[in-house]
Amino acid sequence: MSHVITDWEINNLLMSKKPEEIKIPVPWGHLSGKWWGPKDKQPWLAIHGWQDNAGTFDTLAPLLAPHIALFCVELPGHGLASHYPKGHFYYIHWDGLIVIRQIVKYYKWKKVSIIGHSLGGSLAFLYAASYPEETDAIICLDVASPAFLDNSTIVDITGRSIDKFLKYENLTEKEVPYYPYEEMLEIMMQGHGGSLTLESGELMMKRGARWDPKTNYYLFTRDVRLLSLTAFISQDVALEYASRITCKVLNIKAIPGSKYRRDDLYHEILDKIKENAKVLKFYEIEGTHHVHMNDPKSIVPYIIDFLKMEKITSQSLSHE
């Protein structure tokens, strides 16, 4: 009996070409990313998680195309994107919102559709709430909203975060850590708490580490200052953002997923989104926080079904 080619294999064959590397100029340097799929159609903007990079979509993107194009952008200080200049703090969520807006303006998109994992999903949530008339759809992977804390905790962490930022910013060249490749891979895997498979970790390392010819060791490409976090939002603010979302929404929650997640609060956000969103589709699948990378086939059917009800704005792509 001859082998029957599956849809998955067809997609992989169609997407055998490598994605195009993209650089977008910004005042402090450039944003970087990978464009998968058709170049003449407006893509979904794909955004990675905190300290990750565009490689997080390397296993998912080939399965989604040719259904859609994906522009997997890297946020400032992540992957191959430029770091912020010295003295510029990373506010993560608010910086990310500005970056999305810069990309929209750069390409002159009238509307945008966003798929995001973790931090990237939080940014999709915030953008859809901030620009409801200019957002077609969002897909959030194992996240419902930005992490929110009670007011006292937000105040408590502020000073520590600032001091951590200044410590990292003032590291001398000799203090910057270098590692053999295998040790660096192990550090990254441990940092993700078992969420990544070895194969996924190696994919992430392609843009997350660089070789130093002077020492013959590797160092992380991401800005170490990203480790100093602040500017979390409170629960009532998160719920207000959720109430402003009017576009079509797909939320895929991994089980057990993120170890930092509170499921009751997760569903409270979804309930609020449901009040005004055109569509809210929600699914739970078995997997870790990086299930979209470790086992992309498990989520692709849900995304494809969602795309059937979503028409992406089709227009010529131009820039300033």
Side-chain angles (χ1 to χ4, degrees), residues 85-96:
K86 191 169 184 178
H88 189 130
F89 194 88
Y90 286 94
Y91 290 97
I92 307 298
H93 296 105
W94 318 122
D95 297 339

Side-chain angles (χ1 to χ4, degrees), residues 103-171:
I103 294 171
V104 169
K105 294 293 185 181
Y106 180 80
Y107 285 113
K108 298 180 180 179
W109 294 336
K110 295 180 179 178
K111 288 193 172 184
V112 66
S113 295
I114 306 171
I115 178 171
H117 168 247
S118 198
L119 170 62
S122 296
L123 295 178
F125 167 94
L126 290 171
Y127 193 88
S130 301
Y131 297 97
E133 299 301 321
E134 299 180 44
T135 308
D136 276 333
I138 61 173
I139 299 174
C140 299
L141 304 176
D142 205 38
V143 68
S145 74
F148 47 85
L149 304 171
D150 61 82
N151 292 340
S152 63
T153 304
I154 292 174
V155 174
D156 287 342
I157 68 173
T158 303
R160 295 196 301 272
S161 295
I162 292 171
D163 287 343
K164 184 182 289 187
F165 171 80
L166 293 175
K167 172 187 174 182
Y168 289 139
E169 181 161 84
N170 292 312
L171 287 178

Side-chain angles (χ1 to χ4, degrees), residues 47 75-76 84 91-101 123:
I47 309 176
L75 300 171
Y84 278 146
Y91 290 97
I92 307 298
H93 296 105
W94 318 122
D95 297 339
L97 265 180
I98 294 172
V99 164
I100 295 174
R101 196 64 177 167
L123 295 178

Side-chain angles (χ1 to χ4, degrees), residues 50 59 75 125 128 161 237 286:
W50 178 54
T59 57
L75 300 171
F125 167 94
S161 295
V237 171
E286 183 178 347

